[in-house]
Amino acid sequence: MRGYVPLLLLLAAIWGSSYLFIKVAVRDVPPAAMVELRLLFAVPLLLGYLASQVGGRRALSELRRVGRVGVVLGIANAAVPFTLIAWGEQHVDSGIAAIANATVPIFVVLLALHYRPEERISRLQAAGIVLGLVGVAVLAGFNPTGGWWAVAGTLAVVLSSVSYAAANLYAGKRVGNLATGPVLAAASMLAALVLLAPLALLRLPAATPSPQAIASIAALGLIGTALAQIVFYRMLRLYGSARSSLVAYLLPVTALAYGAVLLDEPVTGATLAGLVLILAGVAIGSGRVRVAWPR
Amino acid sequence: MRPRYLLMLLALSAIWGSSFMWIKIGVREISPATLVFGRVGTGMLTLIPVVLLALGARGAFAELRRHWWPLFLVGALNAAVPFWLLSWSETRLDSGLAAIIQAAAPIFVALLALRFVPSERVTGWRLVGLLVGFAGVGLLVGVQEGGDVVAALAVVATALCYAGSILYAGRRLGGVQPMVIALGTLLSATILMAPAGISQAPGSVPPAETILAVLVLGVVCSAIAYLLYFGIMAGAGASRAILVTYLVPAFAVFYGAVFLGEPVTASALIGLALILGGVALGTGAVSPVAWRNARLRPPAPAPRRDLG
């Protein structure tokens, strides 16, 4: 059985674990250094996978062809959001971060409205976007445990969603037939690895990280980053983007479950309200759910 | 059986029998999830070079990819879940006792085969064997006090997991190289256990004894044991390889009594006798009727155990 549902659940389970691994890792390692190590684990696996798919020589030439697009995506789709999430998770629970990160489709619509004047959305979609933004406010504002730092942490993750959304729009315009998903993933993460190196060296961990933190970063790079990408592209190939993107709705749920069960994070009413509002906002705002008005 | 395989069989039983002791030592200091993660992780790392040497990177990767879904399920059902349950139950139960209860796995295979394999019939002496075996399991679960009943039931659940995975693997992974199954199992179990294993890891480095226990469990009790087991299967046949079931609990009780000072109770010995007797009769390995008839009739060709 290699059906759609098992693959979707599997992907949600391995992708959703990233937030947990990040949370455990940033206890010991500063954000930029953590992301650098994460990429150090993920990039060889992604490159190896690419080479096994198309052959080493062809992989190299495809990577070279991506060029500047890869660098821009490396910044907007990897280096910046990874670091923002890592910084944010120093101050908020992993489940909260995952929910705040589920807002990407909302910002895709908002940015598209701003940068493409010809883009139009329905009144319902607009309402969905407002709903999602209210969800962000609920999630960030009703976080009494961590005070202002927690608000800042949540907003940092929201900012990472904006970065992902911008990368999404840029890729939609620039990539075209230039490259396939796995090539872009490998190229952008390789670029991020190089670009982040100076920042990571600027703030090294104070002491040698614990074995737990190192294991967490290794699992984050190998499982939560590289393997999740590979499974996601497989899913895209088998089931198309509409059905594959449903994983975005499951990710915050699995991440919340991991955090609650394994890290004893509290699941408050505000967290759940934020989750429901954001997911509903994404579903309506992206135009996936339409309502038939009575006439 | 050639002496070489007899030796391998004894070695395998001694290795697998010791795993219950190493688990007991490991869970004193680290959480069961971390122990299992360390075990399957080091087991996987040990098998990778072996498989690469035997099959080459391209061949091994292609096999893993082709059968990723059954391998993933077997990894959950044959490693991650039962290892975790067993390690957790050994935070409450003696290691020897856990080994005895787990020895009932073949009885569950017979029971599940009855349900899922239409041609399978259990009558006469085999039925008696199943009942005797269950009586043994029931006795051992029943004599536990308070919360330990749950732990004993968790061990029963591991036996069920193994039985289910044996039937499933026989059906879905029949033609796959054993080495690939072993690697795929440990790889997917490592992925599955990573979130719980890492998040529940201790903040500081555990004592040397604990690290040794994890390394032995991974390298010896998982990787090397798998290779030995499949070697015996290939060289001496599955019916001989399964004999390990009878020897493992004996070794485990011995190690538990000698190295961990666990008491050897009368109920444990009676339970062991009932379970092993039940396994012998219930799986058809020993049959008083066949014995008598064997002298009268020429032996029939062995039925092909095709589960698909």
Side-chain angles (χ1 to χ4, degrees):
Chain A
M1 183 174 65
R2 43 171 63 181
Y4 167 70
V5 173
L7 196 60
L8 187 73
L9 294 179
L10 182 69
L11 183 58
I14 60 178
W15 215 340
S17 67
S18 317
Y19 300 92
L20 168 93
F21 292 135
I22 294 169
K23 182 80 192 177
V24 172
V26 293
R27 285 180 198 154
D28 273 30
V29 185
M34 194 279 280
V35 174
E36 182 73 9
L37 287 172
R38 167 189 187 170
L39 291 165
L40 216 51
F41 281 104
V43 167
L45 189 55
L46 283 170
L47 288 176
Y49 175 76
L50 188 64
S52 81
Q53 292 294 87
V54 299
R57 194 178 300 259
R58 178 139 165 250
L60 211 61
S61 77
E62 290 206 13
L63 282 176
R64 203 172 297 146
R65 207 155 57 107
V66 174
R68 219 173 56 201
V69 176
V71 175
V72 174
L73 286 180
I75 295 169
N77 211 38
V80 169
F82 284 1
T83 311
L84 280 171
I85 296 171
W87 186 84
E89 282 204 34
Q90 287 187 316
H91 306 291
V92 294
D93 286 346
S94 66
I96 306 257
I99 297 171
N101 211 196
T103 51
V104 174
I106 294 174
F107 292 111
V108 169
V109 178
L110 276 179
L111 288 178
L113 276 179
H114 189 264
Y115 288 104
R116 292 200 210 129
E118 73 279 7
E119 191 96 9
R120 290 277 175 277
I121 59 168
S122 67
R123 224 172 265 170
L124 184 70
Q125 265 177 290
I129 285 167
V130 172
L131 205 62
L133 293 177
V134 170
V136 171
V138 169
L139 195 69
F142 291 75
N143 205 337
T145 46
W148 285 107
W149 278 113
V151 176
T154 312
L155 291 181
V157 181
V158 173
L159 211 56
S160 81
S161 298
V162 178
S163 183
Y164 277 131
N168 189 314
L169 286 177
Y170 174 82
K173 205 163 60 182
R174 282 302 185 78
V175 173
N177 300 329
L178 187 62
T180 56
V183 178
L184 280 181
S188 61
M189 292 206 189
L190 185 63
L193 181 72
V194 176
L195 291 171
L196 258 185
L199 199 61
L201 291 174
L202 215 59
R203 244 197 98 197
L204 290 171
T208 313
S210 66
Q212 184 189 26
I214 294 171
S216 206
I217 297 174
L220 174 65
L222 297 173
I223 302 173
T225 311
L227 184 66
Q229 293 283 332
I230 291 168
V231 174
F232 181 64
Y233 288 122
R234 183 187 173 83
M235 185 140 191
L236 272 179
R237 215 166 49 236
L238 288 173
Y239 301 104
S241 68
R243 294 182 78 192
S244 301
S245 66
L246 278 183
V247 73
Y249 295 85
L250 292 176
L251 276 189
V253 179
T254 53
L256 196 64
Y258 280 127
V261 174
L262 297 174
L263 296 176
D264 291 324
E265 294 175 351
V267 180
T268 63
T271 310
L272 291 177
L275 173 68
V276 171
L277 286 171
I278 288 174
L279 290 188
V282 167
I284 300 169
S286 62
R288 183 185 283 281
V289 173
R290 295 190 192 84
V291 179
W293 299 104
R295 283 160 203 265
Chain B
M1 192 165 21
R2 298 231 305 274
R4 185 180 158 201
Y5 292 112
L6 194 65
L7 219 65
M8 284 167 75
L9 192 73
L10 278 176
L12 178 63
S13 310
I15 288 172
W16 261 342
S18 76
S19 66
F20 298 87
M21 174 185 75
W22 295 116
I23 292 173
K24 189 81 189 177
I25 293 172
V27 293
R28 281 183 198 150
E29 294 291 335
I30 56 178
S31 71
T34 304
L35 177 82
V36 176
F37 175 68
R39 174 184 184 170
V40 292
T42 47
M44 175 194 73
L45 292 177
T46 313
L47 275 186
I48 284 178
V50 178
V51 173
L52 285 184
L53 276 179
L55 302 175
R58 197 174 295 262
F61 185 68
E63 280 285 282
L64 286 175
R65 240 178 88 100
R66 188 169 324 129
H67 305 284
W68 71 273
W69 178 245
L71 284 175
F72 183 77
L73 276 190
V74 171
L77 208 60
N78 201 43
V81 174
F83 286 180
W84 198 355
L85 284 171
L86 179 67
S87 304
W88 173 76
S89 64
E90 282 201 33
T91 59
R92 318 194 62 142
L93 294 183
D94 280 349
S95 66
L97 180 71
I100 295 175
I101 299 177
Q102 207 171 63
I107 299 178
F108 288 103
V109 175
L111 196 75
L112 288 179
L114 208 59
R115 170 73 184 76
F116 292 108
V117 184
S119 60
E120 198 84 2
R121 292 276 178 280
V122 173
T123 50
W125 281 107
R126 289 190 62 191
L127 187 64
V128 173
L130 291 190
L131 295 176
V132 169
F134 277 118
V137 173
L139 172 75
L140 290 178
V141 174
V143 296
Q144 304 308 316
E145 284 167 16
D148 294 353
V149 173
V150 183
L153 285 176
V155 185
V156 176
T158 68
L160 252 174
C161 282
Y162 287 132
S165 67
I166 284 171
L167 287 178
Y168 178 79
R171 187 186 295 213
R172 294 299 304 272
L173 293 169
V176 184
Q177 291 232 26
M179 221 181 270
V180 172
I181 301 181
L183 179 61
T185 302
L186 290 173
L187 177 66
S188 58
T190 305
I191 294 170
L192 274 169
M193 289 307 300
I198 291 173
S199 63
Q200 295 181 359
S204 56
V205 181
E209 189 187 56
T210 312
I211 295 176
L212 177 72
V214 172
L215 289 181
V216 172
L217 279 169
V219 176
V220 182
C221 299
S222 300
I224 294 180
Y226 271 135
L227 296 179
L228 270 176
Y229 180 67
F230 291 127
I232 299 171
M233 285 249 275
S239 61
R240 297 283 162 73
I242 206 71
L243 286 178
V244 75
T245 313
Y246 301 92
L247 296 173
V248 163
F251 274 105
V253 170
F254 173 77
Y255 291 131
V258 173
F259 296 113
L260 301 174
E262 294 175 350
V264 181
T265 60
S267 63
L269 290 180
I270 296 171
L272 177 62
L274 287 175
I275 288 175
L276 292 189
V279 168
L281 285 176
T283 56
V286 174
S287 164
V289 182
W291 231 329
R292 209 175 49 218
N293 293 351
R295 271 177 290 164
L296 308 175
R297 256 187 265 141
R304 221 176 124 233
R305 292 189 61 87
D306 191 356
L307 296 164

